Structures are given as structure tokens and as C-alpha cells.
Amino acid sequence: NTGGKKMARIEKTYALYRGDELLVIGTAREIAESQGITRKAVWHYATPAYEKRCKRYNSRRLICLDESEEIQ
């Protein structure tokens, strides 16, 4: 219970890679904007299904760089 106070959410920072090449670091929103894709596409790069399907290719991968928590 937050006692009626709203919690501010800090967006996590991610790195987007293509193979071993770092493409961009930022929030999901920043990555989507810089790559000209939707945030849904950014999140898709982090799914196990995408990783399994693209394992042998030079595919994109989204890696979380921090474990930000909610703050008051």
C-alpha cells in the first residue's frame, strides 16, 4: 500500500545488439525511435521464442542493463 501516493516508474535501460555489434543503448522508447520500429518490436527481441528462432542468424537481441525499481 502506498498510502494514496502514486509511484513513479523508472524506465529500465536496455542494449540492442545485432550479433556482437552494439546498435544502441536506451529505454525501449528511445531504442524504438532510433531504429524506426515500434516498442512492441523492441520487446519481441527479448522473447525466448525470438531467440530460439534466430539463434543461428545475425539477429537482434535486447538485453536489460539494470534492475530499476519503482520509487516514491
Side-chain angles (χ1 to χ4, degrees):
N1 189 347
T2 61
K5 294 182 182 177
K6 291 189 177 186
M7 302 284 283
R9 184 170 183 108
I10 297 176
E11 292 188 62
K12 293 182 180 181
T13 303
Y14 299 90
L16 182 64
Y17 287 88
R18 180 180 293 127
D20 292 332
E21 177 188 1
L22 175 62
L23 299 177
V24 63
I25 294 176
T27 64
R29 181 186 320 258
E30 292 167 340
I31 291 171
E33 289 174 2
S34 74
Q35 299 297 302
I37 59 177
T38 65
R39 280 191 281 169
K40 185 176 180 178
V42 172
W43 295 125
H44 181 67
Y45 296 144
T47 64
Y50 178 79
E51 181 178 11
K52 184 178 178 182
R53 188 178 71 205
C54 299
K55 197 169 194 170
R56 58 200 148 125
Y57 302 109
N58 196 22
S59 59
R60 295 180 182 187
R61 293 296 304 147
L62 184 68
I63 308 297
C64 183
L65 299 179
D66 61 25
E67 292 299 323
S68 298
E69 298 179 11
E70 292 183 345
I71 61 169
Q72 292 184 347

